Amino acid sequence: MNNADTRLPAGTVLAIVSAGILSFEICLTRIFSIQHWHHLSAGIIALVLLGFGSSASIMAVFAPFFSRYYRLAGWLFIFLFLISIPLSMQVANSIPFNMLALPWQLEQLGYLAAIVLCFLTPFFFGGAYIALIFMQMSHVFGRLYAVDLLGAATGICLVLLLLESGSLENAILLSMTLAGLGLCMQSNHWPQRLLSGVVALCLIYCSWQFKLINVYANDFKELPVQLAQQKARLEWQRDSSNARLSLVSSPAQHSAPGLSINSVANLPDQWHLFADGDSRQALLANVTNFNALRESLLFAPYLIASRRPNVVVLPSNQHWNAWTAIAAGAERVDLISDNRDYLKLFTTPNAIFDQFRLPELVEGRVSNPRAFFERGHEKYDLIVQHISNYQYGGASQQINYGVTREALRQMWRKLTPSGVIGIFVRQSEQPREQLKIISTLAAALGSELGQLSHHLIVLRDWNTSAILVTKSPLQDTHISHIKAWSKRWAFDIDALPGLSAADTNKFHVKPDNLAFHAIQALLEDGAGYQSNYLYQIQPATDDQPFFHHFFRWQSLPQILEQTGERWPLFVGWGYLLSLACLAVMLVLAWLLILLPLCRQPLRQAVSGNTLACIRYFACLGLGFMLVEMQFIFLFRRILDTATLAFAAVILGMLIGTGTGSFLVHRFKIRSDYLKWFYLCLALMVLLISHGIELFIDLTNEWSISMRFGLVAIVTLTPAILMGLFLPIGIRLVRTAGPGVTAWAWGINGFASVAGVMLTPLLAIHFGFTTIMLVALCSYLLAVLSLPKSLGVNT
Amino acid sequence: MSGRTLSDISFLVFSSLPLEFAKWSQCQRLLTAQKIVLLALFVFGIPTVVNSEENYPANDERLGERQEMVSHLRKYGYGMIKVVDPRVIQAMLAVPRHRFVPAKSQRLAYADTPLPIGHGQTISQPYIVALMSQLADIEPGMRVLEIGTGSGYQGAILFELTDEVYTMEIVTPLAKRTSALFKTLELDGIQMIEGDGYFGWPGDLEFDRILVTAAAAHIPPPLLKQLKPDGIMVIPVGPRWGNQQLMIVRKDQEGKKSTQSLLPVRFVPLTGGKQ
């Protein structure tokens, strides 16, 4: 190996390319959210790691060849990474993949695989470059790995800043620019650097000029459908790290959630706001007539709330809800959203659109609901929230922390003595969402309320259920008021003290009146009914939050018998898809891990230690990813948005791991210390996961930047320890042959993919505590594997 | 037996299904008898529809696929609402679905699945089309409004059942394409306009039946106003690519409105709840 290869520039190029790769990873989560569904974007981490793992396997197979042409290969990999960004986006655009049609059309599985392959390409080439550098300079692996991770952390920070400035396309250009910079610096001499620079600039310019990197919502999403209508116009659009918001004006916009079939009210003028090309909600202009608002199911909570209530509206359809509160004479309305841009559209003092500006009694608060309630001291007469029920994609894995047992207790404490919680949920074919919410309400408030049935009202139209819980027992006046109002506006009652079956299912007739009977049974025998019901309706907790997942394996025979070929639609096929993807991934990972062993030099190099090698690096990958995912989910409660939690945790983990890796390189840390490091790590991880409530209490009054800093520092500390394991392992095996470093890194990558896919499934079935235990067991197994096997080869 | 009498029987049988699913086994006996009658009807080719002979050739190269599709619809499994109205079945047999399906999806034209027709819209699953037509219980001479022309397939089926079909489409390119297709197929009797279906058909017309083929977030009050007393409106509920349910909105003689949700599949909770 050439001594010059170890100079700083190699590390610098590595850092720049890593920054480019990670920034494109973040962009890709947004691209998937806009073009397809945000549920798919969770799989991007898996996609990236799959790209890394597969490239590492290939590099391990052809290690001698790439070592010989190291400089050229490096340049080529960076160039291919750069060019594959616009190309993969163009090819993916031409694939007619429609997630919604997946259960109907088998070819959609093929399209999904094609999309995955398409976007795997940039990460394959990016990963190949990293593997090449690791392989070529494995004697300084610790330092290079640190540089790689710090570069990645920088890339994330840069791309988040650019995304917040308002354009996803600019963020993609940043990824390409970083790759272009890497391309220049990879060249040896100035003429080559100049030529590389010209090539990179041309590529970047063409991508921008010919709109090769522009991102549009696919045809089957709501935004393009609406824009195809008569006289529809895109009025405003803005990207952020959270969502792409698009505001459309059209004369054919008539949203009126929960409007009574007896209403003849004229609807207010409205424009429609789309998040990531979907999730339509109305912004009402110049509302002067409140009839449509008062004749909607969404008005129901105000019938039993105080006369001039203080209201808090949690995310979803907030503009309509704010006007409903105003129509009910609210004294103050707080709108809680983690999307600053969304609130800026219509809240004072600087609303972007004057016609949508809400009166001053409405205040927008940028926060997630849990953090808002944890920090606030105000009491409310009414807390309103809407639960979406997704029926597509990996939606079953979407988490809602707003309707867990702990969240409902927290809301309860924020209610005035006459306060009400109103939860709206769209009905499925069979009652399940509302039953899960009622189960959770019973678990959360049962001990305080005595009998939930004396505090519970459930109303519905044909589409939506309104679940209302009052802090004080319902009075006869409340009951008669609700009955009269429901009759006047043709809403059915599914739960009310003293209600009989004859009083139900009158206006919106449902087969067998299932909701009424199920709620009655649930209130009478909660645990027994939950354990035997067709769907999973156990109470949600912070450890096992509200997933949009209701499938139970024991119900499968009944579903199969009754639905025939349509069965995937009834079980939440996103869950099945996740299982199938995990199975495919495990098979693929094994094949790609074993592939390099086909070559004799590598097989001989690890002879006798093959399984130990696989076990050690796989356990590290799995454990690392489980801890990381667990932290991301946990710290969503401290930080205001999911994106901030993601950014803070990834930043802390990357810097921490990088530091740990550098420490291994700098101080030549011995492998027999690993068991002590493991003990420290286990202690820290347990402390953090069990001390989350303490962190929340501690940071209640802190600013968002201080909380972000705290999360980054808290995750950084265990990450330093986690960063020790991989370089120590690599140091032990690298002398066995040139391809072993790449192979080991690849194993680590594949196991991380499995970790990403496994986390939501484990959380659905067993809860987050189990994830933490599995992660610690993984690390323990790795520690136990190390001295017996890998050391032999060194 | 005339088609009309048979239709009456099937409606009597069918109309009891949504509310009285528990009587399913009793219905099965009636349906078995009905199958025999229907079979005889097909064998002897008794015409029961309004327009097919005028607009479509009696035979075409994909008739076999169409027969297979209809046979599939009628065989839906336990718990599914069956398509039994002979006039609807005859209409499904008569209208060449492949003429309404884009070229790239021709292979799947007779599969029981929704298909993309561009602009984010779909041609509905044949089962849903047949079921909506059956639920609407259309008699010859009734005035029917369809909101959301889309590919024009549902409109063409309705035109087999009555001469007075009005249809509206809001997506301009689709409206133009389907209007041209209606001309090609000489379905000139179908009144079609491009416009916002929320407000119903322009003018003072009232309709015996209204079919809303696009899933609605709420039931538009102006449309309810255009529904005659004793009228029926049929609306699909749920994602157009997903598990669509159907809903019937009724307006009685006094103008009182109610909805009735129908499940294409019936579930019963394992315990508790009313069986």
Side-chain angles (χ1 to χ4, degrees), chain A residues 98 100 104 219 225 252 254 267 430 507-509 529 532 558 562 566 570, chain B residues 19 120-121 170 194 196 198 216 218 241 243 259 261 266-268 270-271:
Chain A
N98 178 356
L100 299 175
W104 297 89
D219 262 3
V225 173
H254 319 285
L267 300 186
Q430 291 286 292
F507 306 105
H508 302 283
V509 180
Y529 193 74
N532 287 313
Q558 192 186 355
Q562 297 189 7
R566 295 161 63 89
F570 288 85
Chain B
L19 277 175
Q121 306 292 326
I170 194 170
E194 183 189 337
D196 182 4
Y198 184 85
H218 70 277
W241 288 97
N243 197 29
T259 74
S261 298
R266 178 195 180 217
F267 277 121
V268 181
L270 291 174
T271 62

mmCIF file of all heavy atoms in Angstrom, chain A residues 98 100 104 219 225 252 254 267 430 507-509 529 532 558 562 566 570, chain B residues 19 120-121 170 194 196 198 216 218 241 243 259 261 266-268 270-271:
data_model
loop_
_atom_site.group_PDB
_atom_site.id
_atom_site.type_symbol
_atom_site.label_atom_id
_atom_site.label_comp_id
_atom_site.label_asym_id
_atom_site.label_seq_id
_atom_site.Cartn_x
_atom_site.Cartn_y
_atom_site.Cartn_z
ATOM 1 N N ASN A 98 -47.982 1.671 -7.453
ATOM 2 C CA ASN A 98 -49.092 2.225 -6.682
ATOM 3 C C ASN A 98 -49.292 1.351 -5.451
ATOM 4 O O ASN A 98 -49.816 0.244 -5.526
ATOM 5 C CB ASN A 98 -50.360 2.234 -7.545
ATOM 6 C CG ASN A 98 -51.563 2.758 -6.784
ATOM 7 O OD1 ASN A 98 -51.483 3.047 -5.594
ATOM 8 N ND2 ASN A 98 -52.669 2.885 -7.484
ATOM 9 N N LEU A 100 -51.318 1.516 -3.137
ATOM 10 C CA LEU A 100 -52.708 1.205 -2.793
ATOM 11 C C LEU A 100 -53.205 -0.026 -3.529
ATOM 12 O O LEU A 100 -54.134 -0.696 -3.090
ATOM 13 C CB LEU A 100 -53.604 2.393 -3.152
ATOM 14 C CG LEU A 100 -53.293 3.700 -2.446
ATOM 15 C CD1 LEU A 100 -54.168 4.801 -2.970
ATOM 16 C CD2 LEU A 100 -53.490 3.548 -0.963
ATOM 17 N N TRP A 104 -54.213 -5.898 -4.698
ATOM 18 C CA TRP A 104 -55.041 -6.307 -5.839
ATOM 19 C C TRP A 104 -54.205 -6.818 -7.000
ATOM 20 O O TRP A 104 -54.636 -7.679 -7.749
ATOM 21 C CB TRP A 104 -55.839 -5.106 -6.363
ATOM 22 C CG TRP A 104 -56.803 -4.536 -5.417
ATOM 23 C CD1 TRP A 104 -56.564 -3.556 -4.493
ATOM 24 C CD2 TRP A 104 -58.173 -4.884 -5.282
ATOM 25 N NE1 TRP A 104 -57.698 -3.278 -3.808
ATOM 26 C CE2 TRP A 104 -58.711 -4.073 -4.275
ATOM 27 C CE3 TRP A 104 -59.016 -5.780 -5.930
ATOM 28 C CZ2 TRP A 104 -60.043 -4.144 -3.881
ATOM 29 C CZ3 TRP A 104 -60.332 -5.845 -5.543
ATOM 30 C CH2 TRP A 104 -60.833 -5.043 -4.529
ATOM 31 N N ASP A 219 -49.717 10.177 -9.362
ATOM 32 C CA ASP A 219 -51.075 10.405 -9.861
ATOM 33 C C ASP A 219 -52.182 9.948 -8.921
ATOM 34 O O ASP A 219 -53.266 10.492 -8.908
ATOM 35 C CB ASP A 219 -51.257 9.651 -11.186
ATOM 36 C CG ASP A 219 -51.065 10.589 -12.353
ATOM 37 O OD1 ASP A 219 -50.739 11.755 -12.088
ATOM 38 O OD2 ASP A 219 -51.248 10.150 -13.497
ATOM 39 N N VAL A 225 -54.982 14.670 -8.275
ATOM 40 C CA VAL A 225 -56.381 14.483 -8.657
ATOM 41 C C VAL A 225 -57.108 15.826 -8.577
ATOM 42 O O VAL A 225 -57.839 16.216 -9.490
ATOM 43 C CB VAL A 225 -57.070 13.450 -7.725
ATOM 44 C CG1 VAL A 225 -58.560 13.390 -8.004
ATOM 45 C CG2 VAL A 225 -56.449 12.070 -7.920
ATOM 46 N N ALA A 252 -64.278 23.799 -6.825
ATOM 47 C CA ALA A 252 -64.905 22.506 -6.503
ATOM 48 C C ALA A 252 -64.386 21.947 -5.187
ATOM 49 O O ALA A 252 -64.082 20.762 -5.087
ATOM 50 C CB ALA A 252 -64.634 21.529 -7.639
ATOM 51 N N HIS A 254 -65.315 21.300 -1.351
ATOM 52 C CA HIS A 254 -66.499 21.300 -0.480
ATOM 53 C C HIS A 254 -66.283 20.371 0.703
ATOM 54 O O HIS A 254 -67.000 19.398 0.876
ATOM 55 C CB HIS A 254 -67.741 20.819 -1.242
ATOM 56 C CG HIS A 254 -67.843 21.350 -2.623
ATOM 57 N ND1 HIS A 254 -68.200 22.631 -2.915
ATOM 58 C CD2 HIS A 254 -67.619 20.765 -3.824
ATOM 59 C CE1 HIS A 254 -68.204 22.817 -4.214
ATOM 60 N NE2 HIS A 254 -67.836 21.707 -4.790
ATOM 61 N N LEU A 267 -71.756 25.839 2.630
ATOM 62 C CA LEU A 267 -70.416 25.670 3.197
ATOM 63 C C LEU A 267 -69.612 26.952 3.029
ATOM 64 O O LEU A 267 -69.803 27.679 2.046
ATOM 65 C CB LEU A 267 -69.691 24.526 2.492
ATOM 66 C CG LEU A 267 -70.336 23.148 2.570
ATOM 67 C CD1 LEU A 267 -69.413 22.117 1.938
ATOM 68 C CD2 LEU A 267 -70.621 22.770 4.012
ATOM 69 N N GLN A 430 -65.251 -2.829 10.325
ATOM 70 C CA GLN A 430 -65.649 -3.416 11.594
ATOM 71 C C GLN A 430 -65.154 -2.513 12.707
ATOM 72 O O GLN A 430 -64.095 -1.912 12.598
ATOM 73 C CB GLN A 430 -64.982 -4.790 11.751
ATOM 74 C CG GLN A 430 -65.510 -5.818 10.818
ATOM 75 C CD GLN A 430 -66.880 -6.276 11.262
ATOM 76 O OE1 GLN A 430 -67.016 -6.906 12.283
ATOM 77 N NE2 GLN A 430 -67.895 -5.961 10.484
ATOM 78 N N PHE A 507 -80.378 6.188 12.214
ATOM 79 C CA PHE A 507 -80.198 7.109 11.081
ATOM 80 C C PHE A 507 -79.121 6.624 10.112
ATOM 81 O O PHE A 507 -79.227 6.837 8.915
ATOM 82 C CB PHE A 507 -79.809 8.505 11.593
ATOM 83 C CG PHE A 507 -80.771 9.036 12.606
ATOM 84 C CD1 PHE A 507 -80.440 9.056 13.956
ATOM 85 C CD2 PHE A 507 -82.015 9.506 12.223
ATOM 86 C CE1 PHE A 507 -81.321 9.543 14.894
ATOM 87 C CE2 PHE A 507 -82.909 9.994 13.159
ATOM 88 C CZ PHE A 507 -82.570 9.999 14.512
ATOM 89 N N HIS A 508 -78.111 6.010 10.658
ATOM 90 C CA HIS A 508 -77.033 5.489 9.822
ATOM 91 C C HIS A 508 -76.916 4.004 10.158
ATOM 92 O O HIS A 508 -76.170 3.618 11.060
ATOM 93 C CB HIS A 508 -75.720 6.225 10.096
ATOM 94 C CG HIS A 508 -75.829 7.703 9.860
ATOM 95 N ND1 HIS A 508 -75.819 8.248 8.598
ATOM 96 C CD2 HIS A 508 -76.008 8.738 10.711
ATOM 97 C CE1 HIS A 508 -75.975 9.563 8.688
ATOM 98 N NE2 HIS A 508 -76.095 9.875 9.969
ATOM 99 N N VAL A 509 -77.654 3.229 9.423
ATOM 100 C CA VAL A 509 -77.846 1.828 9.804
ATOM 101 C C VAL A 509 -76.623 1.001 9.425
ATOM 102 O O VAL A 509 -76.184 1.006 8.282
ATOM 103 C CB VAL A 509 -79.110 1.272 9.110
ATOM 104 C CG1 VAL A 509 -79.325 -0.180 9.484
ATOM 105 C CG2 VAL A 509 -80.316 2.113 9.477
ATOM 106 N N TYR A 529 -63.471 -9.414 26.777
ATOM 107 C CA TYR A 529 -63.879 -9.091 25.425
ATOM 108 C C TYR A 529 -62.667 -8.801 24.545
ATOM 109 O O TYR A 529 -62.577 -9.261 23.406
ATOM 110 C CB TYR A 529 -64.816 -7.873 25.438
ATOM 111 C CG TYR A 529 -65.530 -7.676 24.128
ATOM 112 C CD1 TYR A 529 -66.580 -8.508 23.759
ATOM 113 C CD2 TYR A 529 -65.142 -6.678 23.248
ATOM 114 C CE1 TYR A 529 -67.228 -8.336 22.547
ATOM 115 C CE2 TYR A 529 -65.786 -6.505 22.036
ATOM 116 C CZ TYR A 529 -66.825 -7.331 21.690
ATOM 117 O OH TYR A 529 -67.455 -7.172 20.485
ATOM 118 N N ASN A 532 -60.841 -11.866 23.306
ATOM 119 C CA ASN A 532 -61.524 -12.751 22.359
ATOM 120 C C ASN A 532 -61.982 -12.054 21.089
ATOM 121 O O ASN A 532 -62.526 -12.698 20.203
ATOM 122 C CB ASN A 532 -62.759 -13.367 23.031
ATOM 123 C CG ASN A 532 -62.371 -14.407 24.041
ATOM 124 O OD1 ASN A 532 -61.546 -15.265 23.754
ATOM 125 N ND2 ASN A 532 -62.918 -14.315 25.234
ATOM 126 N N GLN A 558 -60.734 -17.358 10.643
ATOM 127 C CA GLN A 558 -62.075 -16.802 10.447
ATOM 128 C C GLN A 558 -62.079 -15.777 9.304
ATOM 129 O O GLN A 558 -62.980 -15.754 8.473
ATOM 130 C CB GLN A 558 -62.548 -16.128 11.735
ATOM 131 C CG GLN A 558 -64.034 -15.797 11.680
ATOM 132 C CD GLN A 558 -64.495 -14.998 12.896
ATOM 133 O OE1 GLN A 558 -63.747 -14.766 13.824
ATOM 134 N NE2 GLN A 558 -65.744 -14.596 12.868
ATOM 135 N N GLN A 562 -64.129 -16.103 5.691
ATOM 136 C CA GLN A 562 -65.210 -15.189 5.358
ATOM 137 C C GLN A 562 -64.882 -14.199 4.251
ATOM 138 O O GLN A 562 -65.772 -13.565 3.707
ATOM 139 C CB GLN A 562 -65.627 -14.424 6.619
ATOM 140 C CG GLN A 562 -66.178 -15.349 7.676
ATOM 141 C CD GLN A 562 -66.799 -14.599 8.823
ATOM 142 O OE1 GLN A 562 -66.932 -13.392 8.788
ATOM 143 N NE2 GLN A 562 -67.205 -15.327 9.834
ATOM 144 N N ARG A 566 -60.077 -11.648 -0.776
ATOM 145 C CA ARG A 566 -59.900 -10.260 -0.348
ATOM 146 C C ARG A 566 -59.268 -10.165 1.049
ATOM 147 O O ARG A 566 -59.170 -9.080 1.619
ATOM 148 C CB ARG A 566 -61.256 -9.556 -0.337
ATOM 149 C CG ARG A 566 -61.874 -9.437 -1.712
ATOM 150 C CD ARG A 566 -63.362 -9.187 -1.617
ATOM 151 N NE ARG A 566 -63.668 -7.933 -0.973
ATOM 152 C CZ ARG A 566 -63.784 -6.772 -1.606
ATOM 153 N NH1 ARG A 566 -63.632 -6.746 -2.909
ATOM 154 N NH2 ARG A 566 -64.060 -5.683 -0.966
ATOM 155 N N PHE A 570 -58.317 -7.072 4.914
ATOM 156 C CA PHE A 570 -58.948 -7.056 6.231
ATOM 157 C C PHE A 570 -57.958 -7.273 7.374
ATOM 158 O O PHE A 570 -58.331 -7.197 8.522
ATOM 159 C CB PHE A 570 -60.059 -8.116 6.298
ATOM 160 C CG PHE A 570 -61.261 -7.721 5.491
ATOM 161 C CD1 PHE A 570 -61.317 -7.989 4.143
ATOM 162 C CD2 PHE A 570 -62.323 -7.052 6.072
ATOM 163 C CE1 PHE A 570 -62.404 -7.617 3.382
ATOM 164 C CE2 PHE A 570 -63.411 -6.665 5.324
ATOM 165 C CZ PHE A 570 -63.452 -6.942 3.967
ATOM 166 N N LEU B 19 -79.906 -5.749 6.088
ATOM 167 C CA LEU B 19 -80.361 -5.600 7.460
ATOM 168 C C LEU B 19 -80.482 -6.929 8.183
ATOM 169 O O LEU B 19 -80.311 -7.019 9.383
ATOM 170 C CB LEU B 19 -81.727 -4.902 7.471
ATOM 171 C CG LEU B 19 -81.676 -3.384 7.371
ATOM 172 C CD1 LEU B 19 -83.060 -2.824 7.258
ATOM 173 C CD2 LEU B 19 -80.972 -2.803 8.576
ATOM 174 N N GLY B 120 -55.265 9.858 -11.598
ATOM 175 C CA GLY B 120 -55.529 9.340 -10.257
ATOM 176 C C GLY B 120 -56.872 8.652 -10.113
ATOM 177 O O GLY B 120 -57.256 8.270 -9.009
ATOM 178 N N GLN B 121 -57.593 8.510 -11.210
ATOM 179 C CA GLN B 121 -58.924 7.901 -11.141
ATOM 180 C C GLN B 121 -58.857 6.436 -11.555
ATOM 181 O O GLN B 121 -57.874 5.990 -12.147
ATOM 182 C CB GLN B 121 -59.895 8.644 -12.050
ATOM 183 C CG GLN B 121 -59.972 10.135 -11.796
ATOM 184 C CD GLN B 121 -60.597 10.451 -10.453
ATOM 185 O OE1 GLN B 121 -61.482 9.757 -9.995
ATOM 186 N NE2 GLN B 121 -60.115 11.500 -9.808
ATOM 187 N N ILE B 170 -65.805 15.938 -13.289
ATOM 188 C CA ILE B 170 -65.139 17.213 -12.981
ATOM 189 C C ILE B 170 -63.716 17.290 -13.532
ATOM 190 O O ILE B 170 -63.176 18.361 -13.737
ATOM 191 C CB ILE B 170 -65.134 17.459 -11.451
ATOM 192 C CG1 ILE B 170 -64.772 18.914 -11.168
ATOM 193 C CG2 ILE B 170 -64.198 16.517 -10.739
ATOM 194 C CD1 ILE B 170 -64.962 19.309 -9.740
ATOM 195 N N GLU B 194 -69.440 18.292 -18.288
ATOM 196 C CA GLU B 194 -68.259 18.456 -17.447
ATOM 197 C C GLU B 194 -68.623 19.456 -16.357
ATOM 198 O O GLU B 194 -69.115 20.545 -16.658
ATOM 199 C CB GLU B 194 -67.114 19.006 -18.305
ATOM 200 C CG GLU B 194 -65.818 19.151 -17.550
ATOM 201 C CD GLU B 194 -64.776 19.904 -18.379
ATOM 202 O OE1 GLU B 194 -64.874 19.921 -19.618
ATOM 203 O OE2 GLU B 194 -63.887 20.492 -17.749
ATOM 204 N N ASP B 196 -68.925 20.275 -11.696
ATOM 205 C CA ASP B 196 -68.763 19.910 -10.292
ATOM 206 C C ASP B 196 -70.022 19.196 -9.802
ATOM 207 O O ASP B 196 -71.076 19.830 -9.659
ATOM 208 C CB ASP B 196 -68.505 21.193 -9.500
ATOM 209 C CG ASP B 196 -68.274 20.928 -8.023
ATOM 210 O OD1 ASP B 196 -68.249 19.744 -7.638
ATOM 211 O OD2 ASP B 196 -68.110 21.899 -7.267
ATOM 212 N N TYR B 198 -70.900 18.220 -7.026
ATOM 213 C CA TYR B 198 -71.366 18.519 -5.671
ATOM 214 C C TYR B 198 -72.734 19.183 -5.703
ATOM 215 O O TYR B 198 -73.581 18.925 -4.849
ATOM 216 C CB TYR B 198 -70.350 19.438 -4.980
ATOM 217 C CG TYR B 198 -70.679 19.739 -3.544
ATOM 218 C CD1 TYR B 198 -70.300 18.866 -2.537
ATOM 219 C CD2 TYR B 198 -71.373 20.886 -3.195
ATOM 220 C CE1 TYR B 198 -70.609 19.129 -1.211
ATOM 221 C CE2 TYR B 198 -71.693 21.155 -1.879
ATOM 222 C CZ TYR B 198 -71.295 20.280 -0.893
ATOM 223 O OH TYR B 198 -71.606 20.533 0.419
ATOM 224 N N ALA B 216 -67.028 9.934 -1.122
ATOM 225 C CA ALA B 216 -67.330 11.283 -0.645
ATOM 226 C C ALA B 216 -66.933 11.434 0.819
ATOM 227 O O ALA B 216 -66.990 10.482 1.588
ATOM 228 C CB ALA B 216 -68.821 11.543 -0.778
ATOM 229 N N HIS B 218 -68.440 13.785 2.721
ATOM 230 C CA HIS B 218 -69.759 13.939 3.332
ATOM 231 C C HIS B 218 -70.802 13.849 2.221
ATOM 232 O O HIS B 218 -70.463 13.870 1.034
ATOM 233 C CB HIS B 218 -69.868 15.253 4.102
ATOM 234 C CG HIS B 218 -69.895 16.481 3.242
ATOM 235 N ND1 HIS B 218 -68.753 17.067 2.755
ATOM 236 C CD2 HIS B 218 -70.923 17.223 2.773
ATOM 237 C CE1 HIS B 218 -69.075 18.119 2.030
ATOM 238 N NE2 HIS B 218 -70.392 18.236 2.009
ATOM 239 N N TRP B 241 -58.811 2.405 -3.939
ATOM 240 C CA TRP B 241 -57.988 1.226 -4.222
ATOM 241 C C TRP B 241 -58.130 0.178 -3.120
ATOM 242 O O TRP B 241 -57.593 -0.903 -3.224
ATOM 243 C CB TRP B 241 -56.515 1.633 -4.318
ATOM 244 C CG TRP B 241 -56.216 2.395 -5.541
ATOM 245 C CD1 TRP B 241 -56.136 3.746 -5.660
ATOM 246 C CD2 TRP B 241 -55.977 1.874 -6.841
ATOM 247 N NE1 TRP B 241 -55.859 4.087 -6.949
ATOM 248 C CE2 TRP B 241 -55.744 2.961 -7.694
ATOM 249 C CE3 TRP B 241 -55.931 0.579 -7.373
ATOM 250 C CZ2 TRP B 241 -55.471 2.805 -9.045
ATOM 251 C CZ3 TRP B 241 -55.650 0.435 -8.710
ATOM 252 C CH2 TRP B 241 -55.421 1.526 -9.541
ATOM 253 N N ASN B 243 -60.512 -1.263 0.465
ATOM 254 C CA ASN B 243 -61.657 -2.098 0.762
ATOM 255 C C ASN B 243 -62.915 -1.239 0.779
ATOM 256 O O ASN B 243 -63.314 -0.735 1.809
ATOM 257 C CB ASN B 243 -61.426 -2.751 2.123
ATOM 258 C CG ASN B 243 -62.339 -3.909 2.309
ATOM 259 O OD1 ASN B 243 -62.735 -4.545 1.329
ATOM 260 N ND2 ASN B 243 -62.712 -4.185 3.530
ATOM 261 N N THR B 259 -79.114 6.693 6.184
ATOM 262 C CA THR B 259 -78.106 5.956 5.417
ATOM 263 C C THR B 259 -78.059 4.514 5.893
ATOM 264 O O THR B 259 -78.469 4.201 7.018
ATOM 265 C CB THR B 259 -76.689 6.559 5.593
ATOM 266 O OG1 THR B 259 -76.205 6.225 6.900
ATOM 267 C CG2 THR B 259 -76.680 8.055 5.397
ATOM 268 N N SER B 261 -75.231 1.355 5.718
ATOM 269 C CA SER B 261 -73.925 0.880 5.256
ATOM 270 C C SER B 261 -73.994 -0.605 4.987
ATOM 271 O O SER B 261 -74.589 -1.365 5.753
ATOM 272 C CB SER B 261 -72.863 1.133 6.321
ATOM 273 O OG SER B 261 -72.745 2.507 6.548
ATOM 274 N N ARG B 266 -68.994 -9.933 5.745
ATOM 275 C CA ARG B 266 -69.602 -9.869 7.063
ATOM 276 C C ARG B 266 -68.702 -10.527 8.100
ATOM 277 O O ARG B 266 -68.236 -11.638 7.927
ATOM 278 C CB ARG B 266 -70.938 -10.594 7.027
ATOM 279 C CG ARG B 266 -71.628 -10.620 8.372
ATOM 280 C CD ARG B 266 -72.728 -11.647 8.353
ATOM 281 N NE ARG B 266 -73.398 -11.677 9.626
ATOM 282 C CZ ARG B 266 -73.837 -12.789 10.183
ATOM 283 N NH1 ARG B 266 -73.667 -13.937 9.569
ATOM 284 N NH2 ARG B 266 -74.446 -12.752 11.327
ATOM 285 N N PHE B 267 -68.471 -9.814 9.184
ATOM 286 C CA PHE B 267 -67.731 -10.391 10.300
ATOM 287 C C PHE B 267 -68.632 -10.430 11.522
ATOM 288 O O PHE B 267 -69.488 -9.586 11.703
ATOM 289 C CB PHE B 267 -66.535 -9.512 10.673
ATOM 290 C CG PHE B 267 -65.354 -9.740 9.832
ATOM 291 C CD1 PHE B 267 -64.815 -8.712 9.098
ATOM 292 C CD2 PHE B 267 -64.776 -10.984 9.758
ATOM 293 C CE1 PHE B 267 -63.701 -8.901 8.328
ATOM 294 C CE2 PHE B 267 -63.663 -11.187 8.980
ATOM 295 C CZ PHE B 267 -63.128 -10.146 8.257
ATOM 296 N N VAL B 268 -68.397 -11.380 12.363
ATOM 297 C CA VAL B 268 -69.107 -11.418 13.637
ATOM 298 C C VAL B 268 -68.046 -11.520 14.719
ATOM 299 O O VAL B 268 -67.129 -12.323 14.606
ATOM 300 C CB VAL B 268 -70.027 -12.647 13.707
ATOM 301 C CG1 VAL B 268 -70.778 -12.671 15.018
ATOM 302 C CG2 VAL B 268 -70.996 -12.636 12.555
ATOM 303 N N LEU B 270 -66.054 -12.705 17.857
ATOM 304 C CA LEU B 270 -66.014 -14.082 18.336
ATOM 305 C C LEU B 270 -66.855 -14.273 19.601
ATOM 306 O O LEU B 270 -67.487 -15.286 19.780
ATOM 307 C CB LEU B 270 -64.564 -14.481 18.622
ATOM 308 C CG LEU B 270 -63.700 -14.605 17.378
ATOM 309 C CD1 LEU B 270 -62.267 -14.851 17.764
ATOM 310 C CD2 LEU B 270 -64.203 -15.712 16.486
ATOM 311 N N THR B 271 -66.825 -13.295 20.483
ATOM 312 C CA THR B 271 -67.667 -13.394 21.679
ATOM 313 C C THR B 271 -68.329 -12.057 21.918
ATOM 314 O O THR B 271 -68.003 -11.077 21.265
ATOM 315 C CB THR B 271 -66.836 -13.708 22.937
ATOM 316 O OG1 THR B 271 -65.935 -12.636 23.116
ATOM 317 C CG2 THR B 271 -66.129 -15.021 22.847
#
